[in-house]
Amino acid sequence: MTIKVEVGKKGYVIIPKGIRDLLGIKEGDKLILNVYDGKIILEPERKVDIHEILKRLEEHHAKISSYAKSAKLGDLLYSSLEEEFDDFS
């Protein structure tokens, strides 16, 4: 996607609302600015909540463990790997 923006006074650049919405950027969010090969790259700063990750891993482990303890041949025939990761999107 390419969008032309104009540099304003003091170097301000406005990120169009559609782009902000697409990337989930809200007022007050921090962006990482990189200069690479003559290009400016802006990326949203993603904060990782280690407690949330550990909670999700424990839930996933419990789910997998219950399959391993009670699964019989053919039980998971109609399951898909994508279902396992639905909660992470």
Side-chain angles (χ1 to χ4, degrees):
M1 176 184 295
T2 302
I3 295 176
K4 188 184 288 189
V5 295
E6 185 176 325
V7 178
K9 293 181 181 180
K10 298 184 182 181
Y12 285 93
V13 175
I14 295 176
I15 301 169
K17 182 178 182 339
I19 301 296
R20 294 192 316 265
D21 290 347
L22 180 68
L23 297 175
I25 298 171
K26 298 174 194 74
E27 183 178 351
D29 285 355
K30 304 269 189 231
L31 301 176
I32 306 298
L33 187 147
N34 288 295
V35 177
Y36 179 76
D37 199 22
K39 298 177 183 174
I40 297 171
I41 301 168
L42 278 176
E43 298 175 289
E45 179 182 60
R46 301 290 180 207
K47 295 180 182 173
V48 176
D49 181 353
I50 191 69
H51 299 293
E52 182 65 24
I53 291 173
L54 290 173
K55 178 182 157 199
R56 287 181 178 222
L57 283 173
E58 288 171 3
E59 290 170 356
H60 185 69
H61 182 265
K63 193 175 185 180
I64 296 288
S65 295
S66 70
Y67 289 157
K69 291 177 187 169
S70 63
K72 295 180 190 103
L73 186 60
D75 282 352
L76 302 177
L77 182 62
Y78 298 104
S79 296
S80 68
L81 186 59
E82 287 82 11
E83 290 172 359
E84 287 298 321
F85 295 97
D86 281 347
D87 294 339
F88 292 98
S89 52

